[in-house]
Amino acid sequence: METFEADVVIVGGGPAGCTCALYTSRADLKTIVLDKNPAVGALAITHQIANYPGVSNEMSGQALLDLMRNQAIEYGTDYRRAQVFGIDVNGEWKTVHTPEGTFKGRSLVLATGAMGRPASFKGEADFLGRGVSYCATCDGAFYRGREVAVVGVNKEAIEEAQVLTKFASKVHWITSNDPKPEDMHAQALKQEASVKHWSRARLLEIEGNDSGVTGVKLKSRELDQEQSLNVDGVFVYMSGSKPITDFMGDQVAFKEDGGVLVDDFMATTSEGVWAIGDIRNTPFKQAVVAASDGCIAAMAIDRFLNSRKSIRVDWVHS
Ligand SMILES: Cc1cc2nc3c(=O)[nH]c(=O)nc-3n(C[C@H](O)[C@H](O)[C@H](O)COP(=O)(O)OP(=O)(O)OC[C@H]3O[C@@H](n4cnc5c(N)ncnc54)[C@H](O)[C@@H]3O)c2cc1C
C-alpha cells in the first residue's frame, strides 16, 4: 500500500475542510484533503444556500462547495476521493488509513461533518434536499406561505417548529408522544395559530414526485386510521444530527453530545490534531461557521508547525 506524506492531512472536504485547506495551502503547507464523496456532505445536499455572505441566493450548496474546493486546489491543495476508516494520532506523524493508501501528516484535521444520522422514514432519504430538511433556520424561508410538517418532540424539534411558524402558513407538528405539560416551549408552540399538533401520531411515509415533497402519510393512535396531509416540506428531528466519528475510536476526547472536544483554536485533546465544522456538534450548524472553524484551525496549525510566536494573517493594519 502506497504511503503519502504532507504537512496537513484533512479528513473531509466540506466547507470546513476546504476552507482549512485554502488557508494552509496559501501558507505554503503541503496539504492533502481526503474526501469520501463531494456530493454527500451537509453543504453538498443543500438545495439553495441563501445565507452564505457574498454569494447569490440562487446558488446551490453543491455549487458553493465546488467553488471552495476549486479555490483550495488552485492554491495547491491535493484533493483526493478516499474514505478514511482509521487514524493513529500517536507520535509526531499522524497516520490516516484509507483503501487508496496510507497518509501521514505532521498535523491532522478532522472535518467529516455530522451527517451520521440514519433516515427514519420511508421517503426521507429520497427527498433529502428536495423538501426534506433537518434545518429550519437554513430552509424555513423557502416555505413562506406554504404548509410544512415537523416530526419529533425533542427540544430541537420544538425550537425549529417555532422558527417555521414565522414563514409557513401551517406547521403540522407530528409527535409520537404528548409533550410534557411542564415543557413551556412545547405548550407555547401548541398555542401558535398556525400550528396543528398531531399528537400520538406516527409518520408512515414522506411522499413526493420529481419536483420534491408533496405530502406525508400518518396514523394517529386516537383515530387509528391513515391520513394524508399535503405539505411542501418535512423537517425531521428524530435522532439529532450525529457527528461522523466512527473512524477515530477514542483517540480524541468527545463532549457529552458526541461532538469532538476542542479549544478556542479548534485543537483537540490530542496534540497535532484539530477538529472543525459540524463534527464539533455546535448548536449553530451553518456553512459560514464551518468555514470560520477551518480558518481558525489553519492559522493555529501554521503556528504549530512553524513554532511561530504569533499567528500570521494575510493582512496587516497600517
Ligand atoms: C439539508 C441541509 C440544509 C442546510 N442549509 C444550510 C444553509 O442554507 N445555510 C448554511 O449556512 N448552512 C446550511 N446547512 C448546514 C451546513 O451545510 C453545514 O453546517 C456545513 O456543511 C458543515 O460543514 P462541514 O464541512 O463540517 O461538514 P459537511 O459539509 O457535512 O462535509 C463533510 C465532508 O466529509 C466527508 N466525509 C465524511 N466521512 C468521511 C470519511 N470517513 N472519510 C473521508 N471523508 C468523509 C463527506 O463526504 C463530506 O464531503 C444545511 C445543512 C443541511 C443538512
Side-chain angles (χ1 to χ4, degrees):
M1 179 92 45
E2 223 178 327
T3 300
F4 305 88
E5 286 183 358
D7 295 316
V8 190
V9 175
I10 300 173
V11 185
C18 286
T19 305
C20 188
L22 169 68
Y23 274 76
T24 54
S25 293
R26 278 179 55 77
D28 280 342
L29 297 171
K30 185 176 175 199
T31 302
I32 297 177
V33 172
L34 301 169
D35 194 21
K36 177 175 71 176
N37 185 338
V40 301
L43 184 58
I45 63 152
T46 301
H47 178 59
Q48 226 176 316
I49 181 100
N51 55 5
Y52 194 86
V55 307
S56 146
N57 59 8
E58 298 291 308
M59 187 175 277
S60 68
Q62 180 86 69
L64 177 60
L65 186 58
D66 288 349
L67 282 177
M68 291 180 177
R69 186 187 322 107
N70 290 335
Q71 193 180 6
I73 291 170
E74 271 170 33
Y75 280 104
T77 295
D78 180 358
Y79 172 90
R80 294 170 186 240
R81 286 279 297 268
Q83 176 157 3
V84 172
F85 60 79
I87 58 173
D88 181 358
V89 301
N90 292 315
E92 201 183 327
W93 287 87
K94 316 298 169 193
T95 309
V96 177
H97 302 284
T98 82
E100 280 70 33
T102 303
F103 295 81
K104 286 180 175 292
R106 292 168 65 216
S107 62
L108 171 63
V109 182
L110 308 167
T112 42
M115 292 295 287
R117 134 173 45 200
S120 309
F121 303 108
K122 191 171 171 203
E124 182 179 338
D126 300 332
F127 295 107
L128 186 59
R130 296 192 300 131
V132 172
S133 173
Y134 305 124
C135 180
T137 319
C138 311
D139 295 337
F142 298 129
Y143 296 94
R144 201 180 291 277
R146 298 158 80 186
E147 296 201 17
V148 298
V150 174
V151 193
V153 73
N154 57 25
K155 188 166 170 260
E156 188 184 14
I158 293 165
E159 284 174 2
E160 295 280 272
Q162 193 63 256
V163 169
L164 285 162
T165 61
K166 288 194 279 180
F167 304 105
S169 57
K170 179 139 256 160
V171 177
H172 296 275
W173 182 29
I174 301 166
T175 64
S176 52
N177 304 314
D178 277 330
K180 294 192 181 107
E182 65 272 20
D183 184 335
M184 302 310 291
H185 298 290
Q187 301 311 325
L189 180 64
K190 281 167 68 176
Q191 299 308 315
E192 292 281 350
S194 60
V195 172
K196 162 76 183 151
H197 184 205
W198 299 86
S199 185
R200 293 155 58 82
R202 197 155 50 92
L203 184 72
L204 301 175
E205 185 176 355
I206 298 169
E207 299 173 311
N209 56 29
D210 287 349
S211 320
V213 166
T214 55
V216 292
K217 256 195 205 140
L218 59 94
K219 190 171 184 179
S220 88
R221 262 186 263 169
E222 270 152 43
L223 297 178
D224 198 30
Q225 63 187 32
E226 281 185 27
Q227 269 172 290
S228 291
L229 305 175
N230 294 329
V231 295
D232 295 318
V234 184
F235 292 77
V236 183
Y237 302 99
M238 295 306 290
S239 49
S241 49
K242 192 171 167 299
I244 299 178
T245 56
D246 49 341
F247 62 92
M248 54 182 85
D250 57 1
Q251 300 190 63
V252 296
F254 296 94
K255 301 183 293 179
E256 262 178 31
D257 63 12
V260 177
L261 181 69
V262 295
D263 66 13
D264 287 351
F265 297 102
M266 305 297 145
T268 70
T269 46
S270 195
E271 192 180 58
V273 183
W274 279 259
I276 53 176
D278 284 4
I279 197 173
R280 302 199 293 118
N281 213 3
T282 52
F284 305 113
K285 295 191 183 65
Q286 292 286 282
V288 70
V289 175
S292 159
D293 281 7
C295 163
I296 292 169
M299 289 178 157
I301 289 167
D302 189 23
R303 182 168 70 168
F304 171 76
L305 292 179
N306 292 308
S307 301
R308 293 217 171 91
K309 289 205 171 58
S310 61
I311 295 173
R312 188 176 70 184
V313 292
D314 270 359
W315 47 268
V316 179
H317 279 299
S318 53

